Amino acid sequence: LATLSYAIACEDVDVVAKCELPGCPDLIDLLLRVQSHPSHAVSVAALEAWLALQDVPTAERHPDVAGPLFIRIVDLLIPRISYGASFTTWEDEGDLDPQEFAEMRRLVGDVLVSAYFLLRVRYIDQVVAAISADPTRWTVTESALFCLTSVAREVCARVKARAGGSSVAADKEATAQRLVHLVRELCGAAAEGAASRHELVLSAVCTFVGSFAPVWNVVCPPEVLLDLLSYLRNATKFPGAAAAAAKSSRQVYVGCGAGLVRVAKTGDAHNVAGNPVAACLSSTMEAALRAGNEQGMKLVAEGSARLCMQLKDGELLRQYLCLTVAPALQSLQQSLDLVRHGSDDAQMEAARQSMASCLRVIREIIRFCDDPTGLDGASHPLADVLNVLWPQLNEIVLTPSCRQHEEVLSELLNIHGQLVSVVPNLVTPHF
């Protein structure tokens, strides 16, 4: 039945869109029931029908087959793409198929984007209303946030757009207001609150924060940006949210750099340790290292380096880079001390693994510090970092158990190669 209804809708999509025949509303109602069916194979058929309808210009559709229809579709999709209330991990899940679940979430993206283009701020209102209607159901909150982040690129483009008449301007302003209200509501409480509902909710909140960074850059003052980064930093304590928190930290660093740089340049230029942006960079890097998520550490390192490079001012930039890399250098030294003086094989192996991770983080920071002005020598942004890093690299090279460890050796070669690529004149004298 699902296949037949989809085939009819797609074959005569122009007729269905105009509701020219008496049975067209009934066919659409049938497709809506198909959409909410628990079977993946059945439900997917309706998604294809909605996308076929989107190929018909709005002016050529019956009014009910435009905005009103897609309001009903979004209402159905929020519960349809949600996890089960008893979900913990995929290893323990018996009701949902992970591949079907992932495919459904991938396929609904185009439909949700179509709905947003039709509804604009009404889409935001509808999804936010779903969160507010039953805040105790973590599954609804998580899936509604997924529906928001699925249209983040299109929403951010709308908010940032400069062209448009009064109606577009009103929609942009209303959209920004709704999003700011929601992010304040979600992040106003501690990350532990979202995690207590489910770590997937916390992960969804983090993803939402990062996905809409271009909006925060337009409408949020720097102190709000720092609050968001603080929330993300606290979220890294939870394994189920650590990856999303790290990714979103990078997105905020990169997407909201202008506001953060303004704060970074305030205060004592010769002692930046007390600056809130400097403190944020250092503590976020510490949190990422503690979380131990390899990709997360690299994302935070990249975002930190890219934010620092926006400072431009040579002395200030060198200080910020030193503060940013300091947690990784400290952890690297602690791992080296354990390897040199430890006796437990398992502990020493863990220390070497940690050493390799720290080297990867430092290499990532170096990678994004290629100075376009062509400065080298003592004027290069990495000059002070290298003064601290090089002796540690030499210590690792001179420690046999490190030099003979395949992963540590590989990362040593990688970081030396990166240094030669970025600051050749600084490192050449050391060889």
Side-chain angles (χ1 to χ4, degrees):
L1 183 60
T3 303
L4 178 61
S5 60
Y6 154 73
I8 294 172
C10 292
E11 182 68 25
D12 298 306
V13 66
D14 293 328
V15 174
V16 174
K18 296 174 182 177
C19 283
E20 290 180 334
L21 299 176
C24 291
D26 294 329
L27 177 61
I28 290 173
D29 286 340
L30 176 59
L31 285 167
L32 288 168
R33 290 197 294 273
V34 167
Q35 184 67 87
S36 59
H37 196 280
S39 168
H40 174 75
V42 173
S43 185
V44 164
L47 294 175
E48 300 294 340
W50 310 138
L51 292 175
L53 277 175
Q54 277 302 96
D55 291 336
V56 180
T58 307
E60 298 177 15
R61 293 188 230 170
H62 188 280
D64 290 343
V65 188
L69 172 60
F70 278 80
I71 288 174
R72 297 171 69 188
I73 292 170
V74 173
D75 276 340
L76 289 173
L77 286 177
I78 290 174
R80 179 61 187 79
I81 63 171
S82 67
Y83 290 91
S86 61
F87 181 89
T88 53
T89 64
W90 285 115
E91 289 76 13
D92 301 324
E93 178 60 27
D95 296 327
L96 294 174
D97 180 277
Q99 291 184 336
E100 290 183 351
F101 184 86
E103 184 182 19
M104 177 61 75
R105 288 207 164 188
R106 179 178 58 81
L107 292 174
V108 300
D110 289 339
V111 176
L112 293 173
V113 169
S114 296
Y116 170 69
F117 281 136
L118 280 170
L119 302 171
R120 295 299 185 179
V121 74
R122 289 182 295 162
Y123 179 94
I124 309 295
D125 287 336
Q126 183 181 359
V127 177
V128 172
I131 296 173
S132 304
D134 193 357
T136 61
R137 290 180 60 191
W138 74 266
T139 56
V140 172
T141 301
E142 191 279 337
S143 60
L145 287 171
F146 174 85
C147 290
L148 276 179
T149 56
S150 294
V151 301
R153 182 175 61 179
E154 292 72 23
V155 175
C156 292
R158 179 73 158 185
V159 172
K160 292 191 300 179
R162 296 182 179 180
S166 58
S167 62
V168 173
D171 180 79
K172 287 165 52 180
E173 183 178 354
T175 297
Q177 288 177 352
R178 305 298 199 280
L179 291 171
V180 170
H181 178 78
L182 179 60
V183 80
R184 286 179 180 273
E185 188 176 286
L186 291 172
C187 300
E192 286 79 1
S196 67
R197 298 176 65 193
H198 202 290
E199 287 191 15
L200 285 171
V201 173
L202 179 57
S203 178
V205 173
C206 292
T207 301
F208 166 71
V209 171
S211 298
F212 287 94
V215 174
W216 318 143
N217 186 51
V218 173
V219 299
C220 290
E223 56 268 23
V224 173
L225 301 178
L226 289 167
D227 287 342
L228 294 179
L229 287 165
S230 176
Y231 184 93
L232 295 171
R233 181 168 62 252
N234 291 332
T236 60
K237 295 184 294 188
F238 300 92
K247 180 179 179 180
S248 292
S249 295
R250 174 203 168 276
Q251 289 172 306
V252 175
Y253 280 151
V254 175
C256 305
L260 294 171
V261 164
R262 284 197 299 273
V263 176
K265 289 183 176 180
T266 61
D268 186 355
H270 301 288
N271 182 21
V272 302
N275 186 284
V277 173
C280 176
L281 285 165
S282 180
S283 57
T284 299
M285 182 60 71
E286 289 175 359
L289 290 167
R290 283 196 302 270
N293 182 286
E294 286 285 343
Q295 184 61 20
M297 287 187 279
K298 290 178 67 176
L299 287 170
V300 169
E302 176 195 338
S304 301
R306 291 176 65 178
L307 175 60
C308 288
M309 293 302 290
Q310 292 184 51
L311 288 167
K312 308 297 184 184
D313 180 285
E315 174 62 24
L316 194 64
L317 172 54
R318 287 193 292 276
Q319 288 190 64
Y320 268 88
L321 283 173
C322 283
L323 282 170
T324 299
V325 80
L329 290 173
Q330 183 179 5
S331 181
L332 184 66
Q333 187 61 53
Q334 290 171 348
S335 297
L336 181 59
D337 292 341
L338 277 172
V339 170
R340 282 181 160 181
H341 307 296
S343 57
D344 182 79
D345 290 344
Q347 188 181 49
M348 291 175 68
E349 176 59 24
R352 285 188 287 266
Q353 293 289 340
S354 174
M355 189 181 299
S357 294
C358 291
L359 289 171
R360 278 190 285 271
V361 167
I362 297 168
R363 177 165 60 93
E364 196 72 4
I365 292 173
I366 294 169
R367 187 163 77 94
F368 287 94
C369 291
D370 194 358
D371 189 4
T373 64
L375 292 175
D376 210 335
S379 299
H380 193 279
L382 286 171
D384 294 344
V385 170
L386 190 60
N387 287 338
V388 180
L389 173 62
W390 196 263
Q392 284 188 290
L393 295 178
N394 282 337
E395 286 187 64
I396 296 171
V397 170
L398 295 173
T399 304
S401 63
C402 294
R403 192 172 59 247
Q404 294 164 9
H405 190 272
E406 182 177 351
E407 192 172 357
V408 173
L409 178 60
S410 175
E411 291 308 321
L412 275 172
L413 294 172
N414 288 336
I415 200 168
H416 279 86
Q418 193 70 63
L419 285 168
V420 169
S421 174
V422 176
V423 283
N425 292 342
L426 276 179
V427 297
T428 301
H430 295 281
F431 287 101

